[in-house]
Amino acid sequence: MRPNLLCPVNAKLCMATFKTQVVSETENGAVSLAVQHLAAGNLVAIPTETVYGLAADATEYAAVQQIYKAKGRPSFNPLICHVADVAMAKKIVTVSALASRLMEIYWPGPLTLVLPARPDSPIAAPVSAGLDTLAVRCPNKGITREIIRKLEKPIAAPSANPSGKLSPTSAADVLAGLDGKLPLIIDAGDAPEGIESTIIGVKNDKLYLLRPGTITADEIAERLGQPVLDRNEDEISAPGQLLSHYAPEASVRLNATEKRDGELLIGFGDIKGDISLSASGDLSEAAHNLFKTIRNADKTSTRIAVAPVPNEGIGIAINDRLKRAAAPRKDA
Ligand code: TXA
Ligand code: MG
């Protein structure tokens, strides 16, 4: 297969309109096609175990700039560097003993670590948006690690959605939000976890929760035998934690125990609703279904109500996303 570009020159030089190609991860040549595009400075949507990412060669300034442009992402909001293994992470960040233990336990997997950037890091400046730290993650998705390994460079990849909108859990979701803004989407079906990685900041041998996810702060604290602190305790920077995020077109009402006129009710457990995050009250299942269910609800109703989800374990990450989905919008 050959890259299917409408832009006649290297995409570093122009923000082309692409015919976006969707290629299954099982198709022969999918990995080399993705690597070819990334090496040419183009964007590629990649599957991960959490949500789909919008990837570029993290060492190429112009390629990384395209991510911000395609998403309409504010330039102050840094990107996660995805690596193939711990050795690749060590080339871009300083890995303390504590960070190293976290990598041993949870990588590959849905845990992002914010660590000091190495002074000799080859990562392009816009990735860290001016901070002296970098977020690193090793995704638990074989094809994506293979792409990174073959590129021989980390890839910068935020979730593959227009800024402020719901994260994509399928290739179709990526296409719906970014069609024409990138040449290639690698399709690996439904993302298994369904919500983005847990983000932990490691600073002066302390751990800080920057974003809750399916690996919970309590679990990490127990495994490491030390607390995971609130990021506000030491004013740890988390520029991406904006109040309005994950916004569907519809309005969102939380903690709804019954449906009001004109609403579509998303249920959980005993509250059945029109559609349920998990009829059995399973929080992992609810996380897997969260963005997908809100997307579907958004297609059929202008008013969405959501049943209460217990604020414990993975429920903390689900409620974090729901709170942002329901927050007043910038343009409202
Ligand atoms: O599961 C995930 O993490 C997905 C997949 C694609 O890997 N990625 C993802 O990226 O959710 P994004 O850009 O949508 O969210 C990354 C978050 C943002 O809130 C950003 O502000 C934060 O990570 N972040 C990145 N670098 C940081 C840094 N150096 N310090 C603090 N926060 C950082
Ligand atoms: Mg995102």
Side-chain angles (χ1 to χ4, degrees):
M1 277 179 286
R2 279 161 30 87
N4 185 3
L5 297 177
L6 291 186
C7 180
V9 290
N10 187 318
K12 284 173 201 166
L13 303 177
C14 71
M15 189 68 200
T17 297
F18 295 98
K19 172 159 179 22
T20 303
Q21 206 184 349
V22 180
V23 171
S24 164
E25 66 164 338
T26 58
E27 209 168 300
N28 273 343
V31 169
S32 36
L33 184 62
V35 173
Q36 225 174 313
H37 272 299
L38 291 166
N42 292 327
L43 303 182
V44 175
I46 43 115
T48 83
E49 78 280 35
T50 57
V51 300
Y52 278 70
L54 182 64
D57 176 345
T59 68
E60 279 293 332
Y61 191 99
V64 173
Q65 289 285 53
Q66 279 197 79
I67 294 179
Y68 285 92
K69 196 162 177 190
K71 280 182 63 99
R73 183 176 177 108
S75 59
F76 59 78
N77 192 3
L79 310 174
I80 297 175
C81 283
H82 295 65
V83 294
D85 49 37
V86 173
M88 196 182 260
K90 286 184 171 165
K91 292 188 179 143
I92 60 173
V93 286
T94 303
V95 181
S96 62
L98 184 58
S100 180
R101 281 179 66 204
L102 283 167
M103 290 175 181
E104 265 166 43
I105 298 171
Y106 293 108
W107 280 14
L111 179 71
T112 296
L113 298 173
V114 173
L115 302 173
R118 282 177 62 124
D120 60 348
S121 153
I123 300 302
V127 172
S128 57
L131 299 175
D132 54 8
T133 53
L134 273 176
V136 285
R137 149 160 156 74
C138 181
N140 191 13
K141 188 78 201 168
I143 186 167
T144 294
R145 287 204 309 282
E146 202 183 330
I147 290 168
I148 301 168
R149 209 171 289 123
K150 292 231 161 90
L151 184 69
E152 298 180 335
K153 290 172 186 172
I155 53 177
S159 50
N161 51 278
S163 185
K165 301 294 182 187
L166 290 162
S167 297
T169 57
S170 70
D173 293 346
V174 179
L175 201 58
L178 297 175
D179 193 8
K181 297 201 165 156
L182 72 170
L184 180 65
I185 300 171
I186 301 290
D187 184 355
D190 238 18
E193 300 273 342
I195 60 172
E196 309 89 341
S197 60
T198 305
I199 306 183
I200 296 286
V202 185
K203 193 175 174 189
N204 300 332
D205 282 331
K206 291 186 187 164
L207 303 173
Y208 299 89
L209 181 66
L210 305 190
R211 179 174 70 187
T214 55
I215 298 175
T216 65
D218 283 351
E219 181 191 331
I220 293 171
E222 197 174 320
R223 286 294 291 270
L224 271 77
Q226 75 176 74
V228 175
L229 305 168
D230 189 300
R231 68 182 165 84
N232 295 319
E233 285 187 31
D234 281 316
E235 292 178 1
I236 301 294
S237 176
Q241 301 307 297
L242 307 174
L243 184 57
S244 174
H245 201 149
Y246 313 112
E249 296 301 317
S251 62
V252 179
R253 181 170 72 89
L254 301 182
N255 297 315
T257 47
E258 56 191 19
K259 185 166 151 162
R260 294 186 188 154
D261 264 359
E263 281 182 340
L264 183 144
L265 178 61
I266 298 178
F268 176 83
D270 290 342
I271 298 176
K272 286 198 168 44
D274 299 293
I275 179 171
S276 181
L277 291 176
S278 168
S280 64
D282 180 303
L283 290 169
S284 297
E285 183 183 28
H288 172 81
N289 288 333
L290 182 68
F291 292 140
K292 181 162 69 173
T293 307
I294 298 176
R295 264 176 204 277
N296 286 337
D298 205 21
K299 284 178 195 149
T300 52
S301 181
T302 55
R303 295 169 65 200
I304 298 172
V306 189
V309 173
N311 204 37
E312 62 197 28
I314 297 171
I316 294 172
I318 296 173
N319 282 315
D320 170 76
R321 306 319 189 261
L322 284 173
K323 187 180 73 192
R324 294 175 208 279
R329 319 279 158 81
K330 270 184 299 201
D331 50 2

